[in-house]
Structure formats: C-alpha cells, structure tokens
Amino acid sequence: MPKLSLLIKPASSMCNLRCTYCFYHALAETRTTKSYGLMPLDVLETIIKKTLSFATEECTLAFQGGEPTLAGLAFFHKLIEYESQYNINNAAINHAIQTNGTLLDDDWCQFFAEHNFLVGLSLDGTAETHDCNRINAQGQGTHQAVMKAARLLQKHKVSFNILTVLNAATARRPRKIYEFYRKNGFDYMQFIPIIHDAEKPTFALSNERLADFLIQTHLLYNDDLTKGNRVSIRYFDELYNMLNGGQPSACDMRGTCSCQFVIEADGSVFPCDFYCTDEWLLGSIKDLGFPELLNSKNAQGFLKPTESPPEKCRRCEYQKLCRNGCRRLHNTQTGINRYCEGFKALFNDMLK
C-alpha cells in the first residue's frame, strides 16, 4: 500500500511561548475554533489504527504545534503502545517532532533516542537574534533554554536539526549565525524565510536581505564541504540534488502541492499546515479514511491551483530550480513568489 505522511497536532495551537511572528497562532485566530485543546487518546488511537491499516509498508508520523510537547510524555508513550498494538503488518514507522525545546528534559530526550525520533529544534541563531522574537509568556528571551535542550539532545545522541526562521534579525547576520551553529556542533540546519505578516517592519524580510543571507551562507556551506567537513543545509542540499538530476523531497521545491494530512487535536484533517482553516477542512479522521479524505472536494480543490504556474515562471531560466516555491508565499495579484528576486540572486551567484 502507498506510503503515508501525517502532521499531527497533539496540542493544537497551544504554546508556552509567544513568538512575535508565529504564523500558526495567527492562522488559528481566524478559525471558528481557535484551539482544539489537547488530543484525546481515542483520537490518537484512531489515527494510528487507520494509518497502519492504510500504509502497510511505511509511514511517517510528524508532530508539531503550537508546541506538541504540551501533550505530555505520557501521550507519546501511548503512541508507541498503539503502534505496537496495531502494526500487524510490521510497517516501518518514522517519527519526527518539531519543538521549541523549552520543555525538554532527560526523560524526553531518552524517549526520543529510544524510539528514533528526528527532532526539529527551533532556534533563531545567537541570543541577540533569537531573544528579540522568540519569547515566553513573560516576555523573556528563550535562547538559554533552547541551548540547554540542544545539549540534552546531544547528550542522548538524538538526531536533530536546527530550524531557523529568516527574518529582519536573523537575515542580517549570516556568518555569525552559521559560525555559531558550527561551533556548537549543529551540523544539520534549515533556514526558512518568514511567511506570516512578512510586511511587518519588526521582522520583515526583504528580497535583498534574503539574497545576501543565502549567498553568504552558501559560500560558508560550500567552503565546509570543499574541506570535507560534515554539514547539511536542507535547501542547498536539495538544490545540488536537483542540479544533479534528482527530484526534490520538499513540497515547496517541487512546484506542486501535496496533501499533508494535517490532523488537529480533535481529529479534524486539513491539507496543509498553512491552510488549517475552516474553508479547507477535509473532514474528520474519526469518520473518514485516508482515501475518502484525499478524494474530498476540498482536497482536490487544494491541489488544483498548483497545476499551472504563472507565465513569468514558465519563461524563467531558473524555473527548474525554483518552481515558484511554496504556494503560501505567492503574491495574491501576480501569483509570483514574494521572494522571487532574492532566490534569483542566489541562483545567479551559484551558477555564474
């Protein structure tokens, strides 16, 4: 049976931090139900049972929020229990979780290590660039707490990568951030251009600033690779794979959307993390199976707009590398990626 990848939100939009640019908090505010609370165990059991009856060979279960660790470690132990109970076909199960790290301790990290979780740790560079946006409910920076989490993950030999949002603060310091990560043994990185409210001056990201960050970071990355040093930046890894004839794994680089099956805490299913809104509800995992969800009117309507890129993109010399990026970044009037010029500047520098 086909592979299946799910994005599960066990604590909905709930979070112990108050990051200034959080897109999911802003998105949830537009819904009739702003937060679905904590996921009941019967919903988790239904997810696992239906997943392992559909994807009998391999599946990926990724957990995100809000902050997914708010569901508690006992919730994740039940996850493993349900997998053992319903995995009658011995399917390969991949686990991943994205977390702000502030609630992690030895017990969490031991669990991640034992069950081979890939952890995405949100960190915006140094204390200077992190603490201006990633703050707790008391308005205090969280850099120290996240670094403590990173040390615990390293101590328990958990596989993890660093997820950094490119915004007005982080994009100004490419070398400082890159060297800080390398010094601390963070060899796997992702740099994600800000999506929500990109026009706000407190964290707005211009095309010029994005281009400068990507170009300088690419030079540092390439220099490390040339010297034989281990380093991975997902975006650059994907670009080189594409230049060598490979197909990208990230949906924003394929140029076509896919149905992510984002499952909220009450069992509501949506097609994409950026479209968990009332208008894009596919149905409930409690009532429908994955074939019915995928063939629903909203799922098919979500997939259709990505079939025809704008004429400007089709004529662009870098179309095969860019493919207009994530749909969420498209200008509503032109349909062009708002960071088009920034990415084009990077390609010009890489391929000159």
Side-chain angles (χ1 to χ4, degrees):
M1 295 297 289
K3 296 180 181 180
L4 185 64
S5 182
L6 308 182
L7 183 60
I8 303 169
K9 293 184 176 288
S12 190
S13 60
M14 298 164 60
C15 189
N16 60 321
L17 300 192
R18 299 294 182 268
C19 301
T20 60
Y21 53 70
C22 179
F23 87 88
Y24 201 73
H25 172 76
L27 181 149
E29 287 293 308
T30 70
R31 299 191 304 217
T32 303
T33 303
K34 295 177 174 56
S35 174
Y36 295 96
L38 297 177
M39 179 176 285
L41 291 179
D42 67 304
V43 173
L44 176 64
E45 183 177 15
T46 297
I47 293 170
I48 301 308
K49 186 175 182 179
K50 289 191 174 182
T51 296
L52 293 175
S53 66
F54 178 75
T56 56
E57 295 182 5
E58 183 179 358
C59 64
T60 297
L61 305 177
F63 295 86
Q64 202 177 79
E67 174 49 44
T69 60
L70 286 173
L73 188 52
F75 175 91
F76 286 88
H77 279 295
K78 290 297 291 186
L79 164 74
I80 302 302
E81 182 181 318
Y82 291 143
E83 289 175 354
S84 177
Q85 179 179 351
Y86 293 111
N87 193 8
I88 58 175
N89 296 298
N90 294 313
I93 304 175
N94 307 306
H95 296 113
I97 187 170
Q98 182 176 340
T99 175
N100 60 45
T102 59
L103 300 178
L104 299 189
D105 57 17
D106 282 301
D107 289 340
W108 273 108
C109 294
Q110 184 176 338
F111 173 85
F112 291 151
E114 181 179 353
H115 298 288
N116 298 312
F117 269 68
L118 173 62
V119 177
L121 183 65
S122 295
L123 176 65
D124 282 358
T126 65
E128 177 188 13
T129 54
H130 179 99
D131 285 345
C132 60
N133 286 308
R134 299 191 65 84
I135 56 178
N136 61 23
Q138 292 74 44
Q140 301 166 328
T142 58
H143 189 266
Q144 186 175 354
V146 181
M147 288 299 294
K148 179 181 178 182
R151 295 292 172 242
L152 285 171
L153 291 168
Q154 290 172 326
K155 170 186 171 183
H156 289 273
K157 296 181 171 55
V158 178
S159 297
F160 73 100
N161 53 49
I162 298 295
L163 306 179
T164 299
V165 175
L166 292 182
N167 54 59
T170 52
R172 290 179 181 274
R173 293 166 177 80
R175 177 175 289 275
K176 191 171 184 178
I177 290 175
Y178 183 88
E179 291 179 348
F180 175 77
Y181 287 168
R182 298 292 285 138
K183 178 183 176 181
N184 283 279
F186 304 156
D187 300 326
Y188 297 88
M189 318 168 202
Q190 289 189 50
F191 296 103
I192 307 164
I194 192 167
I195 288 180
H196 167 62
D197 283 351
E199 73 280 0
K200 288 192 175 181
T202 52
F203 43 75
L205 179 64
S206 67
N207 271 274
E208 294 77 13
R209 189 66 64 190
L210 173 64
D212 180 67
F213 182 93
L214 292 177
I215 290 169
Q216 289 197 47
T217 303
H218 174 255
L219 291 173
L220 294 165
Y221 160 90
N222 196 50
D223 184 56
D224 260 332
L225 291 182
T226 301
K227 293 176 180 177
N229 298 326
R230 183 183 69 173
V231 62
S232 170
I233 296 179
R234 186 180 183 185
Y235 181 61
F236 298 144
D237 294 346
E238 291 272 34
L239 286 179
Y240 280 113
N241 175 50
M242 293 167 73
L243 287 168
N244 288 319
Q247 290 298 314
S249 60
C251 59
D252 62 325
M253 300 183 75
R254 290 198 300 265
T256 56
C257 290
S258 58
C259 194
Q260 286 184 302
F261 294 119
V262 181
I263 307 182
E264 261 286 2
D266 71 331
S268 297
V269 185
F270 301 89
C272 172
D273 197 28
F274 301 128
Y275 293 88
C276 291
T277 57
D278 294 342
E279 64 179 310
W280 289 112
L281 176 66
L282 307 185
S284 173
I285 192 65
K286 294 184 289 186
D287 304 321
L288 302 173
F290 292 106
E292 292 87 357
L293 289 165
L294 183 60
N295 290 317
S296 67
K297 180 180 178 180
N298 273 354
Q300 294 304 306
F302 178 78
L303 297 174
K304 187 176 181 180
T306 62
E307 294 175 356
S308 180
E311 177 64 21
K312 179 181 177 181
C313 293
R314 294 198 296 272
R315 292 187 286 105
C316 179
E317 61 182 312
Y318 299 123
Q319 193 277 335
K320 291 185 178 180
L321 279 182
C322 175
R323 306 184 190 185
N324 207 22
C326 177
R327 170 180 170 183
R328 182 66 175 80
L329 290 174
H330 293 178
N331 182 288
T332 54
Q333 279 76 46
T334 66
I336 302 294
N337 190 315
R338 72 172 65 148
Y339 294 127
C340 171
E341 296 305 319
F343 289 120
K344 187 178 292 187
L346 168 68
F347 302 147
N348 282 333
D349 188 80
M350 284 181 64
L351 303 177
K352 63 184 178 183

